């Protein structure tokens, strides 16, 4: 087993003052990375702010002999995102690794969800990833090296009652990853996404206590560190992880059915007659870009 090290690497972990982000930050530092510990220090619902969350983790890292600096900006503004990246560049000269992890919850059934609850979740999770990734991506592009890990959720991938705002924002991150995968390829920037399940303040009233105690954030850390390492050559993938289970999950395209000849009209009844094949997932596979989906239509476009 070759050891995964981050000597000479600079990592930004957003929302690293607690939960999963704290676990990543500590282990990046233990393995030699210089770490920017970003955390707004607000409440679970996004209200408030405090320096103590980031400061505590920076002090923990320093006590272990590691190198870290704190940043207290919200990821949800362009100025904040730029300052998070500037903190890394000013303190350590570059950015090699970005973990888009900061997050909040405002659960409500869709019928009762307010515009503010919708906007805030999109702002922290999706706009937040944009605000930090944009300046970080540019530094990585200049250095021809980068590893980005985004954080989605099973709630977005598969659905969960009461989380329309959160789920929509989290699936937005999958779209961002898909494009960064393509645009980062020539710069050796690899972007992947995790869908974790772990004990934290976000899940303490969702998970039963016996499960909560078993779902340690330290079981998410290993896959995040691997994806963020030089050893990882994969990009554009989504991974479920929790309690020691690691599994790829994907948006796939099935073989489907070809009706007509690309010239004659097609009737709704022909969809009805072919419905079991159209909705079936025969020969389903992930695609590397939207262009690949055109190949299925090519016989009809000649
Ligand atoms: P957590 O609440 O323990 O940690 C999130 C951290 O992000 C907090 O320290 C918070 O202060 C910080 N934060 C919130 N808004 C911020 C902002 N605007 N700018 C900077 N920092 C901000 O939660 P946890 O569980 O560690 O979550 C980490 C990520 O994992 C989140 O994106 C969450 O949505 C995601 N996730 C977690 C799951 C779980 O089972 N714990 C499940 C699926 C996804």
């Amino acid at each position: 087993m070759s050891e995964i090290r981050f000597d000479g690497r600079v990592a930004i972990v957003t929302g690293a003052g607690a939960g999963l982000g704290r676990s990543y930050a500590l282990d990046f530092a233990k393995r030699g990375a210089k770490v920017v510990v970003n955390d707004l220090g607000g409440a679970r619902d996004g209200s408030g702010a405090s320096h103590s969350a980031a400061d505590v983790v920076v002090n923990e890292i320093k006590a272990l002999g590691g190198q870290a600096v704190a940043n207290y900006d919200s990821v949800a503004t362009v100025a904040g995102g730029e300052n998070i990246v500037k903190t890394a560049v000013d303190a350590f000269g570059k950015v090699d690794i970005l973990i888009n992890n900061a997050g909040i919850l405002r659960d409500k059934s869709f019928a009762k969800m307010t515009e503010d609850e919708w906007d805030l979740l999109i702002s922290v999770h999706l706009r937040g990833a944009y605000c930090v990734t944009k300046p970080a991506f540019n530094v990585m592009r200049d250095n021809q090296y980068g590893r980005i890990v985004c954080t989605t959720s099973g709630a977005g991938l598969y659905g969960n009652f009461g989380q329309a705002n959160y789920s929509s924002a989290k699936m937005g991150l999958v779209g961002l990853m898909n494009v960064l995968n393509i645009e980062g390829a020539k710069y050796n920037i690899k972007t992947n996404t995790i869908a974790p399940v772990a004990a934290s303040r976000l899940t303490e009233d969702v998970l039963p206590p016996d499960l909560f105690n078993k779902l340690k954030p330290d079981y998410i850390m290993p896959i995040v560190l691997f994806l963020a390492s030089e050893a990882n050559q994969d990009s554009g993938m989504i991974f479920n992880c929790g309690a020691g289970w690691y599994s790829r999950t994907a948006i796939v395209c099935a073989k489907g059915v070809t009706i007509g000849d690309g010239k004659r009209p097609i009737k709704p009844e022909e969809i009805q007659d072919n419905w079991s094949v159209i909705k079936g997932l025969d020969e389903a596979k992930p695609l590397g870009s939207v262009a690949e989906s055109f190949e299925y239509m090519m016989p009809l476009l000649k």
Side-chain angles (χ1 to χ4, degrees), residues 15 18 20 38-40 74-75 101 103 125 151-152 166 170 196-198 200-203:
L20 296 174
N38 157 262
D39 207 294
L40 177 65
S74 171
V75 295
N101 167 77
H125 290 275
T151 311
T152 187
Y166 179 71
K170 286 304 202 189
V197 180
S200 76
R201 66 178 186 174
L202 287 189
T203 48

mmCIF file with all atom_site columns, all heavy atoms in Angstrom, residues 15 18 20 38-40 74-75 101 103 125 151-152 166 170 196-198 200-203, ligand 1:
data_model
loop_
_atom_site.group_PDB
_atom_site.id
_atom_site.type_symbol
_atom_site.label_atom_id
_atom_site.label_alt_id
_atom_site.label_comp_id
_atom_site.label_asym_id
_atom_site.label_entity_id
_atom_site.label_seq_id
_atom_site.pdbx_PDB_ins_code
_atom_site.Cartn_x
_atom_site.Cartn_y
_atom_site.Cartn_z
_atom_site.occupancy
_atom_site.B_iso_or_equiv
_atom_site.pdbx_formal_charge
_atom_site.auth_seq_id
_atom_site.auth_comp_id
_atom_site.auth_asym_id
_atom_site.auth_atom_id
_atom_site.pdbx_PDB_model_num
ATOM   1   N N   . GLY A 1 15  ? -16.148 25.147 5.327  1.00 0.00 ? 15  GLY A N   1
ATOM   2   C CA  . GLY A 1 15  ? -16.956 24.573 6.415  1.00 0.00 ? 15  GLY A CA  1
ATOM   3   C C   . GLY A 1 15  ? -16.151 23.592 7.250  1.00 0.00 ? 15  GLY A C   1
ATOM   4   O O   . GLY A 1 15  ? -16.667 22.566 7.687  1.00 0.00 ? 15  GLY A O   1
ATOM   5   N N   . ALA A 1 18  ? -16.261 22.217 11.733 1.00 0.00 ? 18  ALA A N   1
ATOM   6   C CA  . ALA A 1 18  ? -17.055 21.193 12.424 1.00 0.00 ? 18  ALA A CA  1
ATOM   7   C C   . ALA A 1 18  ? -17.248 19.994 11.501 1.00 0.00 ? 18  ALA A C   1
ATOM   8   O O   . ALA A 1 18  ? -16.873 20.043 10.325 1.00 0.00 ? 18  ALA A O   1
ATOM   9   C CB  . ALA A 1 18  ? -18.421 21.760 12.820 1.00 0.00 ? 18  ALA A CB  1
ATOM   10  N N   . LEU A 1 20  ? -17.755 17.011 9.073  1.00 0.00 ? 20  LEU A N   1
ATOM   11  C CA  . LEU A 1 20  ? -16.918 16.368 8.048  1.00 0.00 ? 20  LEU A CA  1
ATOM   12  C C   . LEU A 1 20  ? -15.695 17.220 7.694  1.00 0.00 ? 20  LEU A C   1
ATOM   13  O O   . LEU A 1 20  ? -14.582 16.698 7.566  1.00 0.00 ? 20  LEU A O   1
ATOM   14  C CB  . LEU A 1 20  ? -17.751 16.116 6.788  1.00 0.00 ? 20  LEU A CB  1
ATOM   15  C CG  . LEU A 1 20  ? -18.923 15.144 6.961  1.00 0.00 ? 20  LEU A CG  1
ATOM   16  C CD1 . LEU A 1 20  ? -19.753 15.080 5.684  1.00 0.00 ? 20  LEU A CD1 1
ATOM   17  C CD2 . LEU A 1 20  ? -18.413 13.769 7.306  1.00 0.00 ? 20  LEU A CD2 1
ATOM   18  N N   . ASN A 1 38  ? -11.617 27.103 6.447  1.00 0.00 ? 38  ASN A N   1
ATOM   19  C CA  . ASN A 1 38  ? -12.664 28.135 6.279  1.00 0.00 ? 38  ASN A CA  1
ATOM   20  C C   . ASN A 1 38  ? -13.890 27.734 7.083  1.00 0.00 ? 38  ASN A C   1
ATOM   21  O O   . ASN A 1 38  ? -14.320 26.582 7.018  1.00 0.00 ? 38  ASN A O   1
ATOM   22  C CB  . ASN A 1 38  ? -13.046 28.267 4.799  1.00 0.00 ? 38  ASN A CB  1
ATOM   23  C CG  . ASN A 1 38  ? -14.447 28.860 4.643  1.00 0.00 ? 38  ASN A CG  1
ATOM   24  O OD1 . ASN A 1 38  ? -15.418 28.127 4.460  1.00 0.00 ? 38  ASN A OD1 1
ATOM   25  N ND2 . ASN A 1 38  ? -14.569 30.155 4.775  1.00 0.00 ? 38  ASN A ND2 1
ATOM   26  N N   . ASP A 1 39  ? -14.442 28.658 7.825  1.00 0.00 ? 39  ASP A N   1
ATOM   27  C CA  . ASP A 1 39  ? -15.754 28.424 8.437  1.00 0.00 ? 39  ASP A CA  1
ATOM   28  C C   . ASP A 1 39  ? -16.367 29.741 8.876  1.00 0.00 ? 39  ASP A C   1
ATOM   29  O O   . ASP A 1 39  ? -15.722 30.542 9.551  1.00 0.00 ? 39  ASP A O   1
ATOM   30  C CB  . ASP A 1 39  ? -15.673 27.470 9.637  1.00 0.00 ? 39  ASP A CB  1
ATOM   31  C CG  . ASP A 1 39  ? -16.987 26.729 9.840  1.00 0.00 ? 39  ASP A CG  1
ATOM   32  O OD1 . ASP A 1 39  ? -18.001 27.389 10.183 1.00 0.00 ? 39  ASP A OD1 1
ATOM   33  O OD2 . ASP A 1 39  ? -17.028 25.507 9.622  1.00 0.00 ? 39  ASP A OD2 1
ATOM   34  N N   . LEU A 1 40  ? -17.601 29.929 8.474  1.00 0.00 ? 40  LEU A N   1
ATOM   35  C CA  . LEU A 1 40  ? -18.363 31.122 8.867  1.00 0.00 ? 40  LEU A CA  1
ATOM   36  C C   . LEU A 1 40  ? -18.725 31.068 10.349 1.00 0.00 ? 40  LEU A C   1
ATOM   37  O O   . LEU A 1 40  ? -18.925 32.103 10.980 1.00 0.00 ? 40  LEU A O   1
ATOM   38  C CB  . LEU A 1 40  ? -19.633 31.194 8.008  1.00 0.00 ? 40  LEU A CB  1
ATOM   39  C CG  . LEU A 1 40  ? -20.639 32.302 8.269  1.00 0.00 ? 40  LEU A CG  1
ATOM   40  C CD1 . LEU A 1 40  ? -20.028 33.668 7.962  1.00 0.00 ? 40  LEU A CD1 1
ATOM   41  C CD2 . LEU A 1 40  ? -21.885 32.088 7.412  1.00 0.00 ? 40  LEU A CD2 1
ATOM   42  N N   . SER A 1 74  ? -17.980 33.859 4.468  1.00 0.00 ? 74  SER A N   1
ATOM   43  C CA  . SER A 1 74  ? -19.033 32.998 3.938  1.00 0.00 ? 74  SER A CA  1
ATOM   44  C C   . SER A 1 74  ? -18.663 32.609 2.518  1.00 0.00 ? 74  SER A C   1
ATOM   45  O O   . SER A 1 74  ? -18.199 33.443 1.732  1.00 0.00 ? 74  SER A O   1
ATOM   46  C CB  . SER A 1 74  ? -20.375 33.733 3.918  1.00 0.00 ? 74  SER A CB  1
ATOM   47  O OG  . SER A 1 74  ? -21.325 32.951 3.205  1.00 0.00 ? 74  SER A OG  1
ATOM   48  N N   . VAL A 1 75  ? -18.912 31.340 2.183  1.00 0.00 ? 75  VAL A N   1
ATOM   49  C CA  . VAL A 1 75  ? -18.667 30.892 0.805  1.00 0.00 ? 75  VAL A CA  1
ATOM   50  C C   . VAL A 1 75  ? -19.674 31.502 -0.169 1.00 0.00 ? 75  VAL A C   1
ATOM   51  O O   . VAL A 1 75  ? -19.472 31.456 -1.378 1.00 0.00 ? 75  VAL A O   1
ATOM   52  C CB  . VAL A 1 75  ? -18.742 29.346 0.691  1.00 0.00 ? 75  VAL A CB  1
ATOM   53  C CG1 . VAL A 1 75  ? -17.624 28.683 1.497  1.00 0.00 ? 75  VAL A CG1 1
ATOM   54  C CG2 . VAL A 1 75  ? -20.111 28.811 1.108  1.00 0.00 ? 75  VAL A CG2 1
ATOM   55  N N   . ASN A 1 101 ? -17.355 21.923 0.922  1.00 0.00 ? 101 ASN A N   1
ATOM   56  C CA  . ASN A 1 101 ? -18.010 21.140 1.965  1.00 0.00 ? 101 ASN A CA  1
ATOM   57  C C   . ASN A 1 101 ? -19.017 21.947 2.793  1.00 0.00 ? 101 ASN A C   1
ATOM   58  O O   . ASN A 1 101 ? -19.950 21.379 3.344  1.00 0.00 ? 101 ASN A O   1
ATOM   59  C CB  . ASN A 1 101 ? -16.909 20.562 2.879  1.00 0.00 ? 101 ASN A CB  1
ATOM   60  C CG  . ASN A 1 101 ? -17.456 19.996 4.164  1.00 0.00 ? 101 ASN A CG  1
ATOM   61  O OD1 . ASN A 1 101 ? -18.005 18.909 4.175  1.00 0.00 ? 101 ASN A OD1 1
ATOM   62  N ND2 . ASN A 1 101 ? -17.336 20.752 5.258  1.00 0.00 ? 101 ASN A ND2 1
ATOM   63  N N   . GLY A 1 103 ? -21.992 23.787 4.453  1.00 0.00 ? 103 GLY A N   1
ATOM   64  C CA  . GLY A 1 103 ? -23.408 23.566 4.170  1.00 0.00 ? 103 GLY A CA  1
ATOM   65  C C   . GLY A 1 103 ? -24.307 23.823 5.361  1.00 0.00 ? 103 GLY A C   1
ATOM   66  O O   . GLY A 1 103 ? -23.862 23.837 6.510  1.00 0.00 ? 103 GLY A O   1
ATOM   67  N N   . HIS A 1 125 ? -25.022 26.411 -0.798 1.00 0.00 ? 125 HIS A N   1
ATOM   68  C CA  . HIS A 1 125 ? -24.474 25.177 -1.392 1.00 0.00 ? 125 HIS A CA  1
ATOM   69  C C   . HIS A 1 125 ? -24.000 25.385 -2.834 1.00 0.00 ? 125 HIS A C   1
ATOM   70  O O   . HIS A 1 125 ? -22.880 25.006 -3.177 1.00 0.00 ? 125 HIS A O   1
ATOM   71  C CB  . HIS A 1 125 ? -25.518 24.058 -1.351 1.00 0.00 ? 125 HIS A CB  1
ATOM   72  C CG  . HIS A 1 125 ? -25.790 23.564 0.030  1.00 0.00 ? 125 HIS A CG  1
ATOM   73  N ND1 . HIS A 1 125 ? -25.025 22.596 0.633  1.00 0.00 ? 125 HIS A ND1 1
ATOM   74  C CD2 . HIS A 1 125 ? -26.738 23.920 0.940  1.00 0.00 ? 125 HIS A CD2 1
ATOM   75  C CE1 . HIS A 1 125 ? -25.481 22.362 1.856  1.00 0.00 ? 125 HIS A CE1 1
ATOM   76  N NE2 . HIS A 1 125 ? -26.522 23.155 2.068  1.00 0.00 ? 125 HIS A NE2 1
ATOM   77  N N   . THR A 1 151 ? -19.529 18.252 -2.595 1.00 0.00 ? 151 THR A N   1
ATOM   78  C CA  . THR A 1 151 ? -20.339 17.439 -1.691 1.00 0.00 ? 151 THR A CA  1
ATOM   79  C C   . THR A 1 151 ? -21.803 17.520 -2.098 1.00 0.00 ? 151 THR A C   1
ATOM   80  O O   . THR A 1 151 ? -22.437 18.567 -1.947 1.00 0.00 ? 151 THR A O   1
ATOM   81  C CB  . THR A 1 151 ? -20.174 17.929 -0.237 1.00 0.00 ? 151 THR A CB  1
ATOM   82  O OG1 . THR A 1 151 ? -18.782 18.073 0.050  1.00 0.00 ? 151 THR A OG1 1
ATOM   83  C CG2 . THR A 1 151 ? -20.802 16.944 0.739  1.00 0.00 ? 151 THR A CG2 1
ATOM   84  N N   . THR A 1 152 ? -22.321 16.427 -2.640 1.00 0.00 ? 152 THR A N   1
ATOM   85  C CA  . THR A 1 152 ? -23.746 16.361 -2.932 1.00 0.00 ? 152 THR A CA  1
ATOM   86  C C   . THR A 1 152 ? -24.424 15.607 -1.785 1.00 0.00 ? 152 THR A C   1
ATOM   87  O O   . THR A 1 152 ? -23.888 15.540 -0.679 1.00 0.00 ? 152 THR A O   1
ATOM   88  C CB  . THR A 1 152 ? -24.014 15.710 -4.316 1.00 0.00 ? 152 THR A CB  1
ATOM   89  O OG1 . THR A 1 152 ? -25.409 15.813 -4.618 1.00 0.00 ? 152 THR A OG1 1
ATOM   90  C CG2 . THR A 1 152 ? -23.580 14.266 -4.368 1.00 0.00 ? 152 THR A CG2 1
ATOM   91  N N   . TYR A 1 166 ? -32.580 22.005 -0.455 1.00 0.00 ? 166 TYR A N   1
ATOM   92  C CA  . TYR A 1 166 ? -31.268 21.359 -0.267 1.00 0.00 ? 166 TYR A CA  1
ATOM   93  C C   . TYR A 1 166 ? -30.960 20.416 -1.432 1.00 0.00 ? 166 TYR A C   1
ATOM   94  O O   . TYR A 1 166 ? -29.855 20.438 -1.999 1.00 0.00 ? 166 TYR A O   1
ATOM   95  C CB  . TYR A 1 166 ? -31.324 20.603 1.055  1.00 0.00 ? 166 TYR A CB  1
ATOM   96  C CG  . TYR A 1 166 ? -30.091 19.832 1.447  1.00 0.00 ? 166 TYR A CG  1
ATOM   97  C CD1 . TYR A 1 166 ? -28.925 20.487 1.834  1.00 0.00 ? 166 TYR A CD1 1
ATOM   98  C CD2 . TYR A 1 166 ? -30.109 18.434 1.495  1.00 0.00 ? 166 TYR A CD2 1
ATOM   99  C CE1 . TYR A 1 166 ? -27.805 19.765 2.236  1.00 0.00 ? 166 TYR A CE1 1
ATOM   100 C CE2 . TYR A 1 166 ? -28.997 17.716 1.900  1.00 0.00 ? 166 TYR A CE2 1
ATOM   101 C CZ  . TYR A 1 166 ? -27.859 18.386 2.264  1.00 0.00 ? 166 TYR A CZ  1
ATOM   102 O OH  . TYR A 1 166 ? -26.754 17.671 2.668  1.00 0.00 ? 166 TYR A OH  1
ATOM   103 N N   . LYS A 1 170 ? -27.952 20.665 -4.107 1.00 0.00 ? 170 LYS A N   1
ATOM   104 C CA  . LYS A 1 170 ? -26.951 19.591 -4.128 1.00 0.00 ? 170 LYS A CA  1
ATOM   105 C C   . LYS A 1 170 ? -26.811 18.974 -5.512 1.00 0.00 ? 170 LYS A C   1
ATOM   106 O O   . LYS A 1 170 ? -25.722 18.546 -5.904 1.00 0.00 ? 170 LYS A O   1
ATOM   107 C CB  . LYS A 1 170 ? -27.301 18.525 -3.093 1.00 0.00 ? 170 LYS A CB  1
ATOM   108 C CG  . LYS A 1 170 ? -27.023 18.952 -1.648 1.00 0.00 ? 170 LYS A CG  1
ATOM   109 C CD  . LYS A 1 170 ? -25.576 19.364 -1.456 1.00 0.00 ? 170 LYS A CD  1
ATOM   110 C CE  . LYS A 1 170 ? -25.086 19.302 -0.029 1.00 0.00 ? 170 LYS A CE  1
ATOM   111 N NZ  . LYS A 1 170 ? -23.737 19.914 0.117  1.00 0.00 ? 170 LYS A NZ  1
ATOM   112 N N   . PRO A 1 196 ? -22.098 11.861 1.174  1.00 0.00 ? 196 PRO A N   1
ATOM   113 C CA  . PRO A 1 196 ? -21.782 11.208 2.450  1.00 0.00 ? 196 PRO A CA  1
ATOM   114 C C   . PRO A 1 196 ? -23.023 10.942 3.309  1.00 0.00 ? 196 PRO A C   1
ATOM   115 O O   . PRO A 1 196 ? -24.071 11.561 3.109  1.00 0.00 ? 196 PRO A O   1
ATOM   116 C CB  . PRO A 1 196 ? -20.899 12.247 3.148  1.00 0.00 ? 196 PRO A CB  1
ATOM   117 C CG  . PRO A 1 196 ? -21.423 13.567 2.652  1.00 0.00 ? 196 PRO A CG  1
ATOM   118 C CD  . PRO A 1 196 ? -21.926 13.327 1.258  1.00 0.00 ? 196 PRO A CD  1
ATOM   119 N N   . VAL A 1 197 ? -22.875 10.016 4.246  1.00 0.00 ? 197 VAL A N   1
ATOM   120 C CA  . VAL A 1 197 ? -23.828 9.881  5.353  1.00 0.00 ? 197 VAL A CA  1
ATOM   121 C C   . VAL A 1 197 ? -22.983 9.802  6.613  1.00 0.00 ? 197 VAL A C   1
ATOM   122 O O   . VAL A 1 197 ? -22.159 8.890  6.755  1.00 0.00 ? 197 VAL A O   1
ATOM   123 C CB  . VAL A 1 197 ? -24.700 8.608  5.237  1.00 0.00 ? 197 VAL A CB  1
ATOM   124 C CG1 . VAL A 1 197 ? -25.674 8.532  6.407  1.00 0.00 ? 197 VAL A CG1 1
ATOM   125 C CG2 . VAL A 1 197 ? -25.450 8.586  3.920  1.00 0.00 ? 197 VAL A CG2 1
ATOM   126 N N   . ALA A 1 198 ? -23.149 10.771 7.518  1.00 0.00 ? 198 ALA A N   1
ATOM   127 C CA  . ALA A 1 198 ? -22.285 10.817 8.697  1.00 0.00 ? 198 ALA A CA  1
ATOM   128 C C   . ALA A 1 198 ? -22.940 11.598 9.827  1.00 0.00 ? 198 ALA A C   1
ATOM   129 O O   . ALA A 1 198 ? -23.788 12.459 9.597  1.00 0.00 ? 198 ALA A O   1
ATOM   130 C CB  . ALA A 1 198 ? -20.950 11.472 8.328  1.00 0.00 ? 198 ALA A CB  1
ATOM   131 N N   . SER A 1 200 ? -23.312 14.351 12.335 1.00 0.00 ? 200 SER A N   1
ATOM   132 C CA  . SER A 1 200 ? -22.895 15.746 12.516 1.00 0.00 ? 200 SER A CA  1
ATOM   133 C C   . SER A 1 200 ? -24.123 16.501 13.027 1.00 0.00 ? 200 SER A C   1
ATOM   134 O O   . SER A 1 200 ? -25.195 15.921 13.152 1.00 0.00 ? 200 SER A O   1
ATOM   135 C CB  . SER A 1 200 ? -22.420 16.358 11.190 1.00 0.00 ? 200 SER A CB  1
ATOM   136 O OG  . SER A 1 200 ? -23.544 16.663 10.386 1.00 0.00 ? 200 SER A OG  1
ATOM   137 N N   . ARG A 1 201 ? -23.959 17.788 13.238 1.00 0.00 ? 201 ARG A N   1
ATOM   138 C CA  . ARG A 1 201 ? -25.123 18.539 13.734 1.00 0.00 ? 201 ARG A CA  1
ATOM   139 C C   . ARG A 1 201 ? -26.226 18.604 12.677 1.00 0.00 ? 201 ARG A C   1
ATOM   140 O O   . ARG A 1 201 ? -27.377 18.863 12.984 1.00 0.00 ? 201 ARG A O   1
ATOM   141 C CB  . ARG A 1 201 ? -24.726 19.929 14.191 1.00 0.00 ? 201 ARG A CB  1
ATOM   142 C CG  . ARG A 1 201 ? -24.249 20.821 13.064 1.00 0.00 ? 201 ARG A CG  1
ATOM   143 C CD  . ARG A 1 201 ? -23.906 22.194 13.567 1.00 0.00 ? 201 ARG A CD  1
ATOM   144 N NE  . ARG A 1 201 ? -23.595 23.051 12.438 1.00 0.00 ? 201 ARG A NE  1
ATOM   145 C CZ  . ARG A 1 201 ? -23.368 24.348 12.533 1.00 0.00 ? 201 ARG A CZ  1
ATOM   146 N NH1 . ARG A 1 201 ? -23.432 24.939 13.710 1.00 0.00 ? 201 ARG A NH1 1
ATOM   147 N NH2 . ARG A 1 201 ? -23.093 25.056 11.455 1.00 0.00 ? 201 ARG A NH2 1
ATOM   148 N N   . LEU A 1 202 ? -25.849 18.385 11.396 1.00 0.00 ? 202 LEU A N   1
ATOM   149 C CA  . LEU A 1 202 ? -26.869 18.393 10.341 1.00 0.00 ? 202 LEU A CA  1
ATOM   150 C C   . LEU A 1 202 ? -27.768 17.160 10.428 1.00 0.00 ? 202 LEU A C   1
ATOM   151 O O   . LEU A 1 202 ? -28.893 17.173 9.953  1.00 0.00 ? 202 LEU A O   1
ATOM   152 C CB  . LEU A 1 202 ? -26.230 18.449 8.949  1.00 0.00 ? 202 LEU A CB  1
ATOM   153 C CG  . LEU A 1 202 ? -25.606 19.757 8.494  1.00 0.00 ? 202 LEU A CG  1
ATOM   154 C CD1 . LEU A 1 202 ? -25.226 19.696 7.022  1.00 0.00 ? 202 LEU A CD1 1
ATOM   155 C CD2 . LEU A 1 202 ? -26.528 20.950 8.736  1.00 0.00 ? 202 LEU A CD2 1
ATOM   156 N N   . THR A 1 203 ? -27.231 16.067 10.989 1.00 0.00 ? 203 THR A N   1
ATOM   157 C CA  . THR A 1 203 ? -27.998 14.805 10.979 1.00 0.00 ? 203 THR A CA  1
ATOM   158 C C   . THR A 1 203 ? -28.406 14.350 12.380 1.00 0.00 ? 203 THR A C   1
ATOM   159 O O   . THR A 1 203 ? -29.011 13.297 12.523 1.00 0.00 ? 203 THR A O   1
ATOM   160 C CB  . THR A 1 203 ? -27.171 13.686 10.306 1.00 0.00 ? 203 THR A CB  1
ATOM   161 O OG1 . THR A 1 203 ? -25.848 13.680 10.848 1.00 0.00 ? 203 THR A OG1 1
ATOM   162 C CG2 . THR A 1 203 ? -27.101 13.879 8.809  1.00 0.00 ? 203 THR A CG2 1
HETATM 163 P P1  . LIG B 2 .   ? -21.796 20.562 9.852  1.00 0.00 ? 1   LIG B P1  1
HETATM 164 O O1  . LIG B 2 .   ? -22.938 21.471 10.148 1.00 0.00 ? 1   LIG B O1  1
HETATM 165 O O2  . LIG B 2 .   ? -21.212 19.793 10.980 1.00 0.00 ? 1   LIG B O2  1
HETATM 166 O O3  . LIG B 2 .   ? -20.615 21.351 9.123  1.00 0.00 ? 1   LIG B O3  1
HETATM 167 C C1  . LIG B 2 .   ? -20.847 22.295 8.127  1.00 0.00 ? 1   LIG B C1  1
HETATM 168 C C2  . LIG B 2 .   ? -19.948 23.479 8.394  1.00 0.00 ? 1   LIG B C2  1
HETATM 169 O O4  . LIG B 2 .   ? -20.133 24.436 7.332  1.00 0.00 ? 1   LIG B O4  1
HETATM 170 C C3  . LIG B 2 .   ? -20.271 24.211 9.704  1.00 0.00 ? 1   LIG B C3  1
HETATM 171 O O5  . LIG B 2 .   ? -19.118 24.288 10.526 1.00 0.00 ? 1   LIG B O5  1
HETATM 172 C C4  . LIG B 2 .   ? -20.762 25.580 9.251  1.00 0.00 ? 1   LIG B C4  1
HETATM 173 O O6  . LIG B 2 .   ? -20.418 26.638 10.139 1.00 0.00 ? 1   LIG B O6  1
HETATM 174 C C5  . LIG B 2 .   ? -20.085 25.730 7.911  1.00 0.00 ? 1   LIG B C5  1
HETATM 175 N N1  . LIG B 2 .   ? -20.793 26.683 7.053  1.00 0.00 ? 1   LIG B N1  1
HETATM 176 C C6  . LIG B 2 .   ? -22.132 26.786 6.858  1.00 0.00 ? 1   LIG B C6  1
HETATM 177 N N2  . LIG B 2 .   ? -22.419 27.777 6.025  1.00 0.00 ? 1   LIG B N2  1
HETATM 178 C C7  . LIG B 2 .   ? -21.231 28.337 5.668  1.00 0.00 ? 1   LIG B C7  1
HETATM 179 C C8  . LIG B 2 .   ? -20.877 29.400 4.811  1.00 0.00 ? 1   LIG B C8  1
HETATM 180 N N3  . LIG B 2 .   ? -21.809 30.109 4.163  1.00 0.00 ? 1   LIG B N3  1
HETATM 181 N N4  . LIG B 2 .   ? -19.571 29.681 4.656  1.00 0.00 ? 1   LIG B N4  1
HETATM 182 C C9  . LIG B 2 .   ? -18.608 28.985 5.297  1.00 0.00 ? 1   LIG B C9  1
HETATM 183 N N5  . LIG B 2 .   ? -18.907 27.967 6.151  1.00 0.00 ? 1   LIG B N5  1
HETATM 184 C C10 . LIG B 2 .   ? -20.198 27.648 6.322  1.00 0.00 ? 1   LIG B C10 1
HETATM 185 O O7  . LIG B 2 .   ? -22.331 19.562 8.710  1.00 0.00 ? 1   LIG B O7  1
HETATM 186 P P2  . LIG B 2 .   ? -21.656 18.285 7.998  1.00 0.00 ? 1   LIG B P2  1
HETATM 187 O O8  . LIG B 2 .   ? -22.582 17.149 8.188  1.00 0.00 ? 1   LIG B O8  1
HETATM 188 O O9  . LIG B 2 .   ? -20.240 18.134 8.382  1.00 0.00 ? 1   LIG B O9  1
HETATM 189 O O10 . LIG B 2 .   ? -21.816 18.707 6.463  1.00 0.00 ? 1   LIG B O10 1
HETATM 190 C C11 . LIG B 2 .   ? -20.725 18.897 5.593  1.00 0.00 ? 1   LIG B C11 1
HETATM 191 C C12 . LIG B 2 .   ? -21.258 18.820 4.166  1.00 0.00 ? 1   LIG B C12 1
HETATM 192 O O11 . LIG B 2 .   ? -21.715 17.497 3.899  1.00 0.00 ? 1   LIG B O11 1
HETATM 193 C C13 . LIG B 2 .   ? -22.439 19.748 3.881  1.00 0.00 ? 1   LIG B C13 1
HETATM 194 O O12 . LIG B 2 .   ? -22.310 20.273 2.578  1.00 0.00 ? 1   LIG B O12 1
HETATM 195 C C14 . LIG B 2 .   ? -23.624 18.809 3.950  1.00 0.00 ? 1   LIG B C14 1
HETATM 196 O O13 . LIG B 2 .   ? -24.724 19.283 3.211  1.00 0.00 ? 1   LIG B O13 1
HETATM 197 C C15 . LIG B 2 .   ? -23.009 17.553 3.362  1.00 0.00 ? 1   LIG B C15 1
HETATM 198 N N6  . LIG B 2 .   ? -23.722 16.335 3.674  1.00 0.00 ? 1   LIG B N6  1
HETATM 199 C C16 . LIG B 2 .   ? -23.696 15.828 4.934  1.00 0.00 ? 1   LIG B C16 1
HETATM 200 C C17 . LIG B 2 .   ? -24.371 14.672 5.219  1.00 0.00 ? 1   LIG B C17 1
HETATM 201 C C18 . LIG B 2 .   ? -24.294 14.013 6.549  1.00 0.00 ? 1   LIG B C18 1
HETATM 202 O O14 . LIG B 2 .   ? -24.817 12.881 6.674  1.00 0.00 ? 1   LIG B O14 1
HETATM 203 N N7  . LIG B 2 .   ? -23.662 14.630 7.549  1.00 0.00 ? 1   LIG B N7  1
HETATM 204 C C19 . LIG B 2 .   ? -25.207 14.013 4.204  1.00 0.00 ? 1   LIG B C19 1
HETATM 205 C C20 . LIG B 2 .   ? -25.105 14.576 2.905  1.00 0.00 ? 1   LIG B C20 1
HETATM 206 C C21 . LIG B 2 .   ? -24.405 15.713 2.666  1.00 0.00 ? 1   LIG B C21 1
#
